[in-house]
Structures are given as structure tokens and as C-alpha cells.
Amino acid sequence: MELRHVGRTGLRVSRIGLGTLTWGRDTDEHEAAEQLRVFHEAGGTLVDTADVYAGGAAEYLLGRLLDTAVPRRDLVIATKAGSVLDPDHRTDGSRGHLLAALDASLARLGTDHVDLWQLHAFDPGTPLEETLQAVDIAVTSGRARYAGVSNFCGWQLAKAATWQLAAPGARTRLASTQMEYSLLQRGIEREVLPAALDLGIGVLPSSPLGRGVLTGKYRDATPSDSRGASDQLAPFVAPYLEEPARRVVDAVTTAADGLATTALQVALAWVRDRPGVTAPIVGARTAHQLRAALSVEALTLPDEICRALDDVSAPVHRYPDQDWSEL
């Protein structure tokens, strides 16, 4: 698999990443080990997790598989901290919480460092400089090799990156931002993506298949074994089952038929090759599904197909994104 640099850093990762959102909850150890082996054999290196996935069980499961299923040295392990598991889904960007969460992640993963440590979300209740000082401590102490953010809007990303450039003594620069990005969710093109491109920050798209909807499996009904049929994940899928999404899915399916490939491959290739994107993060229920996603490595979409998909999925961006004189 082709490797790409994460932003303007020396860190290189496979241009498709493996997500572990369901590990330890819906994905057991046997299936997770098979997915990890399939990913490794395909040349994949980037494995993304978080301290709150399955209440910490995803990190623990990944840690059990390091060096038993796949050598630790062959993987780029990315995790996140800052989210709090409580009914209010709080974010805690305080120095104390973040550094304690990192130490807990390292213990569950059974490693002395993570390759990429990401702030899971912006915390408006903590001064940003305190949050970023914690990031600096994590990197300078060797517990994290690189740092990134997740779910930061455009001004939050720009503010964080600018503070790091300007603050006396700050040594860490943001390498990445992880955001939802697909043909069904192009909101980051408004401000986040331009900011990331300008700042040299790599984009790691999550849910690049539109929460599974872009595969076409929901066109006629909701499969009983899908996320859309899960009590826990059905609300996550539901927003992408409305009529506007159906038009995009139909266009992706038409493109796939014309290219003699699958809707999954078309949707994934589109987001993988967008400007600024380093590596989409793909989560799979089975190793078979993961193999299908990894087969996109051989596909590059023709320009005319990309333009057609751009048109049918185009978000409405008006003032102030367009020049005022054009309105």
C-alpha cells in the first residue's frame, strides 16, 4: 500500500487506516486479530483507536494483539484522549485529565508510546494553552511521537496551530486533524480543510463511507446485521438515510457500474484522493469487509467521474465562502 506523509511531518502512514470503534464491543478478539492480519498483509500501518472506544476495551484488545498478531514495530498506533464517558458526553481538555488518560491508554495498549496522540474534541471550559501544554509534555516526554486533534472546527484548528507556532517554548506542532468526511458529509470543506492545507496539517477522514450508507447496502432496506439495525448505532446511521443522501448513493452506484467496480470502492477512492487527505479511517465488521475496502488500492477514479460526484454531492457554501462580488 502506498505511504503518505501526515501533513508536513516526517511521519508516514498507509493511505488507508484501520479503525477500531467497535473492537471490544461488537468485534471480538478472534475477529479483531483477523482484521489486523489482513490489514498488515495489505501493507496497512495506521491503526486508529481512542480511550473511550468500548470504554477502553478497544485499546486493551489492540494491546493484546500487538506482537502476537502483528509486530508492534510495523504499526503506527493512533489514539485519542479528552472525551469523558458519562451521560453528558463531556470533553475534558485539562492537563491533569489528558496526561492521566494518556498513561491509562499506554497501560491498556501495553506499549511505552503511541505514534499519534489526538485531542478527541475541543474543550471550551479549559484554556487552550493548558490543553496544548499537555500535548507538549506528552511529546517531549516520549509518550507520544506526534500529536493531532479531532473534531476541531476551522477556527479552533487555526487557533491551536497558531498558538503552537507563536508560544515561547512550545516544541510540538499539530500533525493531523481527524474529521468526518465523505460524499455525504463535506462540511469540512468550508473551513477545516482550507485551514489544514494552509497549515500543513494532514486530514484523517473518519466515516469515509458515509457511516456505511455509501456502500449501497441501505438502498432497499436496512440489513439485519448492519449498524443501521443496531440499537446503539442506528441513530448514528439514520441522518444519512434521507432523500438527499439517496441521490448521492445512486450516483455512486451508477459510477461503480460504469467502472465495473463497487460503490464502496468508488466512495472510498473519492475521499482518499481529495486534496489534503492523508488517510481515510475505515472500520469493518468483518475481515471480509475489510478486504473489500483495501482492494481500493488499485483504483483511481477518472476525472469525469470525480467531477460528477463532486456536483451531485456539493454542499451549499455561500457568503462568506464565495467572493461577495459574485453573489
Side-chain angles (χ1 to χ4, degrees):
M1 190 183 302
E2 179 183 323
L3 299 181
R4 290 175 172 172
H5 285 275
V6 181
R8 287 198 289 265
T9 73
L11 179 63
R12 295 202 305 162
V13 299
S14 54
R15 62 176 182 168
I16 298 292
L18 174 62
T20 63
L21 175 65
T22 63
W23 285 25
R25 187 184 66 230
D26 303 320
T27 304
D28 62 21
E29 183 170 347
H30 173 78
E31 180 58 43
E34 183 63 17
Q35 289 188 26
L36 200 57
R37 292 189 190 98
V38 167
F39 184 64
H40 180 252
E41 290 167 2
T45 64
L46 176 62
V47 181
D48 180 76
T49 190
D51 62 343
V52 294
Y53 289 175
E59 285 184 330
Y60 178 73
L61 180 50
L62 177 57
R64 284 178 57 88
L65 298 176
L66 296 180
D67 289 327
T68 57
V70 172
R72 165 68 177 93
R73 65 179 180 275
D74 291 350
L75 299 177
V76 175
I77 302 298
T79 194
K80 310 177 194 73
S83 291
V84 179
L85 285 174
D86 66 13
D88 297 324
H89 300 289
R90 291 183 298 115
T91 299
D92 189 343
S94 67
R95 183 188 299 111
H97 174 82
L98 290 174
L99 294 177
L102 175 56
D103 289 339
S105 288
L106 295 177
R108 285 189 291 268
L109 290 165
T111 184
D112 63 355
H113 74 279
V114 291
D115 301 287
L116 178 63
W117 190 49
Q118 304 157 98
L119 302 173
H120 211 152
F122 185 85
D123 176 14
T126 300
L128 181 60
E129 55 268 28
E130 178 181 337
T131 298
L132 295 176
Q133 285 166 0
V135 170
D136 211 30
I137 292 170
V139 174
T140 56
S141 68
R143 287 176 279 178
R145 297 292 192 255
Y146 294 86
V149 297
S150 175
N151 300 307
F152 276 41
C153 70
W155 72 262
Q156 293 165 349
L157 177 65
K159 183 177 181 180
T162 301
W163 185 90
Q164 288 181 319
L165 291 170
R171 302 177 185 177
T172 305
R173 301 290 181 266
L174 292 181
S176 65
T177 178
Q178 187 172 151
M179 301 289 290
E180 184 170 354
Y181 188 27
S182 73
L183 279 162
L184 294 181
Q185 179 51 273
R186 295 176 61 183
I188 72 166
E189 294 177 4
R190 180 177 175 91
E191 290 188 340
V192 175
L193 193 55
L197 285 165
D198 183 69
L199 295 163
I201 294 171
V203 177
L204 304 175
S206 59
S207 295
L209 297 174
R211 308 182 184 184
V213 174
L214 286 166
T215 63
K217 63 184 176 183
Y218 295 99
R219 292 182 81 193
D220 300 318
T222 299
S224 60
D225 61 349
S226 68
R227 292 181 178 182
S230 162
D231 291 340
Q232 187 165 19
L233 294 174
F236 181 68
V237 176
Y240 291 168
L241 299 178
E242 304 296 335
E243 183 56 34
R246 183 178 295 276
R247 291 194 294 270
V248 177
V249 174
D250 287 345
V252 170
T253 303
T254 299
D257 291 342
L259 295 171
T261 186
T262 65
L264 180 156
Q265 290 182 323
V266 169
L268 190 53
W270 180 88
V271 70
R272 180 199 63 195
D273 295 332
R274 299 294 285 179
V277 167
T278 297
I281 308 297
V282 176
R285 187 172 52 82
T286 66
H288 175 74
Q289 289 179 342
L290 179 60
R291 287 189 182 93
L294 296 175
S295 65
V296 75
E297 183 68 12
L299 177 65
T300 300
L301 297 179
D303 290 343
E304 59 271 23
I305 296 292
C306 288
R307 286 193 295 268
L309 294 175
D310 289 351
D311 289 344
V312 75
S313 65
V316 178
H317 288 171
R318 297 193 176 97
Y319 180 84
D321 303 287
Q322 292 178 334
D323 184 79
W324 68 270
S325 62
E326 296 178 358
L327 299 175

